[in-house]
Amino acid sequence: TRVGYTFLNWQDAAGTTYTDAQTVRNLTDVANGTVTLTAQWKINTYDVTFIDVETATTLHTQTVDYNTTATEHTPAAKPGYTFNGWYTDADLTQKFAFTTPITANTTLYGKYEAIDVVITLDNGNGVTEAGGTQKFGTSYGLPNQDRLPANFIPANSILTGWKYNTTNLTGSSVVLDTT
């Protein structure tokens, strides 16, 4: 046996092939002659599968020869996220090194991290207030009038709601999912 290879057949100097355990006669016409049969091998190939861990979707598969390295797949951009590499486990704790020789079928999981969203509250009259920083895709509690500084609400006014661009926001929180 030969690690990482599959046996194909035996071959003599003339190129004639013989299967393993094949019974043969008269390989040479020389009395007490010597015949050399050489083993023919095929290198094994393995699939490296790249998975989006959030959707369990296969993004890419590449086939590599035994004991060679895979080429890192560049995934499509996801709005609101940065890509943070490929991992060997679905829990995304063991980062994969692309210098690692592939010796078996391998599944790699892509890790995306939500970007930080800086929130600025604007009263529409040129007064702004820092609303903090929060991760993309998370819920942000919209402040009511009591949680805002006194100079944010114009005199004799009542806060009736919030808008993002031209969209009225309803409820007491909004999910940060627009970049």
Side-chain angles (χ1 to χ4, degrees), residues 9-159:
N9 53 45
W10 296 99
Q11 189 174 52
D12 65 18
T16 304
T17 59
Y18 306 93
T19 60
D20 197 30
Q22 178 180 346
T23 302
V24 294
R25 293 190 176 147
N26 303 322
L27 292 176
T28 180
D29 56 3
V30 177
N32 297 317
T34 301
V35 174
T36 301
L37 297 177
T38 305
Q40 302 298 299
W41 301 93
K42 178 181 179 226
I43 194 165
N44 293 340
T45 59
Y46 298 100
D47 287 337
V48 178
T49 305
F50 297 83
I51 304 283
D52 180 336
V53 75
E54 290 178 18
T55 62
T57 303
T58 298
L59 301 175
H60 180 70
T61 300
Q62 65 182 253
T63 302
V64 297
D65 289 343
Y66 168 79
N67 214 31
T68 62
T69 57
T71 302
E72 185 169 1
H73 172 68
T74 303
K78 273 188 178 183
Y81 294 86
T82 56
F83 184 73
N84 193 27
W86 295 103
Y87 291 74
T88 58
D89 61 313
D91 292 330
L92 306 174
T93 61
Q94 302 296 315
K95 195 159 191 175
F96 181 75
F98 281 88
T99 56
T100 304
I102 301 299
T103 58
N105 289 330
T106 304
T107 300
L108 300 176
Y109 302 90
K111 182 177 183 178
Y112 291 88
E113 291 183 354
I115 62 170
D116 288 330
V117 177
V118 177
I119 301 161
T120 303
L121 304 171
D122 186 333
N123 76 350
N125 290 319
V127 177
T128 60
E129 176 71 22
T133 302
Q134 199 148 341
K135 290 290 183 191
F136 180 85
T138 60
S139 180
Y140 175 73
L142 296 169
N144 59 29
Q145 189 162 337
D146 297 337
R147 291 178 37 211
L148 294 167
N151 71 334
F152 190 81
I153 305 294
N156 301 317
S157 296
I158 296 174
L159 177 65

